[in-house]
Amino acid sequence: MEIWRLPISASQRGKLISSGYTSLSSLSSISSSDLARELKVSESEAMNILKVASHSRGSETSNASCSIVEGAQSAWDMLHDEESLMHITTSSADLDNILGGGIHCKEVTEIGGVPGIGKTQLGIQIAVNVQIPNDFGGLGGKAIYIDTEGSFMVERAFQIAEACIEDMSEYNRFLRKDFQECKIKMLPQDILENIFYFRICSYTEQIALINYLDKFLSEHKDVKVIVVDSVTFHFRQDFDDMALRTRVLSGMALKLMNLAKRFSLAVVLLNQVTTKHTEASFQLALALGDSWSHTCTNRIVLYWNGNERYAYIDKSPSLRSASAAYSVTARGIRNSSSSCKRIKMM
Amino acid sequence: MTPQSLLQLTSQKCTTGCPILDRLLYGGIPCDSITEIVAESGSGKTQICLQLSLHAQLPVSHGGLAASSLYLHTEFPFPFRRLHQLCLSFRSSNAHHFPVNDNPCDRIFVQSVHTADHLLEIMSKTDPFIENSKNQVPVRLIVIDSIAALFRSDFDNTPVELKRRSSLFFKISSKLKALAKRFNLAVLVTNQVVDLVGPNEGINGLRIGNLVCLHTSGRRVCPALGLAWANCVNSRLFLSRNEEVIREENEKSNGQSCDFVKKKMRKLYVVFAPHLPESSCEFEITREGLFGVER
């Protein structure tokens, strides 16, 4: 966990320590261009340092922290782990802001809204954005897309993938004028190949698939996000035994949470909206009931406000309640283009 | 369980018979998906359904599905005469695809449906029916005209009954989607509208889709069957019709004069669809069928 153990030259080590980078975890979430600027070295040198650091981190066992209970971690280590986790951007800066950088890994995020608000679009955008390579601030991972409704259209995913690659090339051109090596070699077809697409037609298939994901993920360790669109469709039919439905749903949620934690990936569940019959009036609520609402870590509600689409953080242990505007364009999810948009803090 | 390769998954579309409408819909009505057409009566829903049933028989190279269709109708009587009329003009413009004594109407299977339970019964029999049709011309299109008629009268307005109704929606939709996936079918469903009373938009002030409010014949309307059914379909299209008064310049013997003429303005809107942007286009209904109008 120490810098002085890294196989780099003495002058580089000196620069790292004098700039304040004393442990490996502090190097885990910085990009090479920022590091180059801080150490006043060339970008390729910074790149090398980061590569060496990540190699050492990978081969090291975390026996430095002694724990009282087997498998337990100290809160300090957990804080370091959390800081080093990356987020999956949604391609809308406002949305990323209220999400604290993007969709969190190791957590289950539920996103719900009325039909036509952009849930499937957001799902596809996340499945594409998880593949953004490390050099561009992404996770460079693959995605699993579980389609229960048949809303996934390949041509739309292709459109979004194309736009993502174009954006990466723009970024490349503006910020890395001297760094030739990082050319975009990705094609939209490559992005589509890295999305593992499952189509399921009944709730038994859904449960079977989620049980199978354990095995699938141990074979494909580079999957970094699971998107389920939508998790509720097959459960809204007649269940003779509602208690069975609640048990099945909580079992499923538990499994997904386990997968998220074990494989360090993000789980995104898309949900529908229903009307709740309260004493006097009808209220809108996410489907599947109250017991389901406890099972997800984060909850985001998408809604219309006038002519704009808004996202609202309904529940989160670490983010404050806020709402932000976004729009669905031909290129995918982007910032809302209205000039009077504002992020409302609650 | 193995994941499907996205590169091999191309969504086929069925042409509507009009290049302008096809352009709006990015090719036509998609397969393996439920498309809903919402409109008040007399706006052209049945016209589109009949037209699609005919054009589904075109070869794939011409935008069709080379398939026969299953037409489930709930409102009586079935428009046989109009179908024959459309069939004649379809044959004359596509004569080179069909042999001389062929009647495209032979490949449209019509079944009347009376209640929601009857529909579920029919769908359980549809599986073997479509399986058998693979030997001749396979069925690749299912039309339900209209789904609203099945649910308008059978259910009371109590929460219990409404819950039962919405679980029926999900059951029907789930069966349709399973059929659509298994046989790669396009499913077209038509729905009616209900009037909107009160200051809010949508039911309980709820907006669904791209349009703030749906207008037709000068009234504010919203699709029937509510939020639950809206969750069951993949795409929704809205047909509106309005009477517009426009000026028309007429050359008369005593010089130019202008008349105010009442014209029927018909528009097709995309309310929501996973692959379509917000768009609309004008169309007209003639003897030959329903065609988009480029202005």
Side-chain angles (χ1 to χ4, degrees):
Chain A
M1 297 270 261
E2 299 301 330
I3 291 290
W4 55 264
R5 278 200 226 148
L6 282 181
I8 50 180
S9 76
S11 60
Q12 285 175 337
R13 206 174 299 146
K15 283 189 186 155
L16 277 173
I17 295 181
S18 60
S19 304
Y21 295 96
T22 47
S23 68
L24 277 185
S25 49
S26 52
L27 279 180
S28 55
S29 49
I30 192 167
S31 72
S32 55
S33 48
D34 288 333
L35 189 63
R37 211 184 0 195
E38 291 224 9
L39 300 182
K40 298 190 187 31
V41 296
S42 73
E43 265 216 54
S44 44
E45 245 193 272
M47 201 73 181
N48 279 335
I49 296 177
L50 284 179
K51 276 208 184 96
V52 166
S54 61
H55 276 309
S56 318
R57 214 183 18 250
S59 57
E60 206 174 72
T61 52
S62 57
N63 51 8
S65 57
C66 55
S67 47
I68 301 169
V69 179
E70 187 66 50
Q73 256 185 320
S74 75
W76 183 249
D77 289 334
M78 282 180 71
L79 182 64
H80 269 279
D81 279 345
E82 244 185 58
E83 279 169 359
S84 62
L85 278 182
M86 301 203 68
H87 302 127
I88 307 176
T89 172
T90 55
S91 288
S92 156
D94 294 333
L95 206 46
D96 282 346
N97 269 341
I98 61 167
L99 288 172
I103 305 284
H104 297 242
C105 284
K106 282 197 176 178
E107 286 181 7
V108 176
T109 307
E110 184 185 355
I111 304 180
V114 295
I117 193 83
K119 301 188 293 293
T120 303
Q121 308 298 312
L122 195 49
I124 301 179
Q125 185 75 64
I126 291 172
V128 165
N129 285 354
V130 74
Q131 302 179 38
I132 295 179
N134 283 323
D135 306 326
F136 290 87
L139 275 77
K142 301 195 178 169
I144 289 180
Y145 196 98
I146 302 178
D147 188 5
T148 66
E149 292 189 343
S151 318
F152 187 90
M153 305 291 277
V154 188
E155 57 215 52
R156 180 59 175 153
F158 191 88
Q159 240 185 343
I160 294 183
E162 247 181 354
C164 183
I165 294 179
E166 276 172 22
D167 285 349
M168 286 201 288
S169 315
E170 283 280 317
Y171 175 79
N172 209 17
R173 233 174 324 154
F174 280 136
L175 292 166
R176 295 156 155 262
K177 296 194 184 93
D178 58 330
F179 199 54
Q180 294 300 330
E181 286 161 35
C182 207
K183 272 235 176 358
I184 312 286
K185 292 193 208 80
M186 284 179 102
L187 289 175
Q189 289 88 328
D190 301 329
I191 294 191
L192 288 187
E193 258 182 5
N194 288 334
I195 301 181
F196 297 109
Y197 175 78
F198 294 90
R199 173 93 163 86
I200 50 184
C201 296
S202 69
Y203 82 91
T204 43
E205 271 186 55
Q206 195 170 335
I207 301 170
L209 176 61
I210 293 188
N211 288 336
Y212 170 69
L213 279 183
D214 209 5
K215 181 158 176 284
F216 188 84
L217 287 171
S218 6
E219 290 163 13
H220 297 90
K221 291 236 187 291
D222 42 5
V223 170
K224 286 279 168 248
V225 74
I226 300 175
V227 180
V228 184
D229 175 18
S230 62
V231 71
T232 136
F233 180 71
H234 292 291
F235 286 92
R236 292 184 73 181
Q237 295 178 36
D238 241 335
F239 264 76
D240 298 318
D241 185 6
M242 285 306 267
L244 169 69
R245 189 182 96 153
T246 312
R247 275 202 309 274
V248 164
L249 282 174
S250 10
M252 201 171 68
L254 204 61
K255 262 220 124 27
L256 287 168
M257 178 66 92
N258 274 340
L259 291 174
K261 289 246 178 314
R262 262 182 52 202
F263 296 99
S264 273
L265 41 84
V267 175
V268 176
L269 305 178
L270 302 179
N271 200 353
Q272 294 170 348
V273 169
T274 175
T275 43
K276 217 161 135 166
H277 299 251
T278 49
E279 325 76 36
S281 62
F282 290 81
Q283 251 200 339
L284 279 186
L286 292 195
L288 293 181
D290 288 324
S291 47
W292 172 258
S293 60
H294 293 299
T295 53
C296 299
T297 320
N298 303 306
R299 217 163 208 224
I300 303 174
V301 177
L302 307 177
Y303 64 100
W304 285 103
N305 187 354
N307 234 0
E308 295 255 347
R309 292 175 156 92
Y310 271 76
Y312 169 65
I313 308 270
D314 186 42
K315 165 191 169 190
S316 167
S318 51
L319 306 165
R320 59 193 296 198
S321 283
S323 67
Y326 68 97
S327 68
V328 179
T329 67
R331 303 168 69 82
I333 303 279
R334 294 289 185 272
N335 273 342
S336 154
S337 51
S338 115
S339 52
C340 66
K341 66 182 174 190
R342 61 211 183 283
I343 298 183
K344 273 176 16 201
M345 294 291 177
M346 317 245 157
Chain B
M1 282 180 189
T2 41
Q4 286 175 277
S5 163
L6 283 182
L7 297 177
Q8 271 138 33
L9 195 83
T10 43
S11 70
Q12 238 191 325
K13 302 234 173 50
C14 178
T15 174
T16 54
C18 165
I20 299 174
L21 293 180
D22 282 349
R23 213 174 324 141
L24 183 85
L25 298 173
Y26 281 30
I29 306 291
C31 288
D32 195 5
S33 156
I34 300 185
T35 308
E36 184 194 25
I37 301 190
V38 173
E40 69 167 331
S41 35
S43 304
K45 305 191 290 290
T46 306
Q47 305 302 308
I48 292 194
C49 294
L50 295 172
Q51 199 160 313
L52 213 70
S53 311
L54 288 169
H55 284 83
Q57 302 174 30
L58 287 175
V60 179
S61 51
H62 285 76
L65 301 174
S68 46
S69 29
L70 176 61
Y71 198 109
L72 304 171
H73 70 104
T74 60
E75 288 160 349
F76 310 101
F78 181 78
F80 284 110
R81 269 214 300 248
R82 179 57 172 156
L83 179 59
H84 275 291
Q85 206 178 38
L86 288 174
C87 192
L88 285 173
S89 78
F90 172 70
R91 277 218 59 188
S92 56
S93 41
N94 294 294
H96 43 284
H97 295 303
F98 300 102
V100 181
N101 288 329
D102 191 64
N103 188 1
C105 292
D106 286 340
R107 284 185 285 278
I108 303 181
F109 302 104
V110 179
Q111 164 77 50
S112 62
V113 185
H114 305 281
T115 62
D117 296 308
H118 190 200
L119 177 61
L120 282 171
E121 210 186 290
I122 288 176
M123 287 212 290
S124 54
K125 290 194 222 143
T126 308
D127 234 80
F129 174 73
I130 300 183
E131 192 75 52
N132 287 338
S133 75
K134 281 192 194 162
N135 304 329
Q136 302 111 38
V137 184
V139 172
R140 297 280 307 277
L141 171 69
I142 294 185
V143 178
I144 302 185
D145 179 18
S146 66
I147 189 94
L150 298 175
F151 293 96
R152 298 298 289 281
S153 48
D154 275 343
F155 297 85
D156 306 323
N157 210 8
T158 60
V160 175
E161 280 286 292
L162 288 178
K163 199 154 196 294
R164 185 167 79 89
R165 195 180 83 153
S166 46
S167 55
L168 261 179
F169 289 158
F170 283 95
K171 214 165 171 182
I172 291 176
S173 169
S174 178
K175 280 216 157 80
L176 280 174
K177 285 181 179 177
L179 275 175
K181 182 206 162 206
R182 186 158 159 218
F183 299 106
N184 203 10
L185 314 169
V187 181
L188 188 62
V189 174
T190 63
N191 195 2
Q192 293 161 359
V193 292
V194 286
D195 275 306
L196 213 54
V197 185
N200 292 333
E201 283 140 17
I203 296 194
N204 311 315
L206 182 65
R207 167 174 164 172
I208 299 181
N210 296 325
L211 302 180
V212 174
C213 195
L214 309 178
H215 289 272
T216 181
S217 295
R219 303 149 31 210
R220 272 184 21 215
V221 293
C222 73
L225 305 184
L227 179 58
W229 178 251
N231 280 315
C232 295
V233 300
N234 294 113
S235 323
R236 176 175 275 177
L237 307 171
F238 172 63
L239 306 179
S240 77
R241 79 165 189 207
N242 282 301
E243 296 246 317
E244 277 198 353
V245 178
I246 61 168
R247 267 166 83 108
E248 255 187 19
E249 303 278 339
N250 277 338
E251 279 235 10
K252 289 221 171 111
S253 50
N254 53 352
Q256 276 198 338
S257 67
C258 57
D259 285 331
F260 287 97
V261 194
K262 266 199 193 163
K263 233 186 142 185
K264 259 211 186 92
M265 164 78 108
R266 296 179 187 275
K267 277 187 116 171
L268 168 72
Y269 295 88
V270 173
V271 178
F272 62 80
H275 59 301
L276 301 174
E278 177 177 358
S279 47
S280 66
C281 88
E282 208 187 308
F283 68 92
E284 60 183 5
I285 305 182
T286 64
R287 183 193 294 167
E288 284 78 35
L290 199 140
F291 299 103
V293 171
E294 198 99 53
R295 288 240 184 261

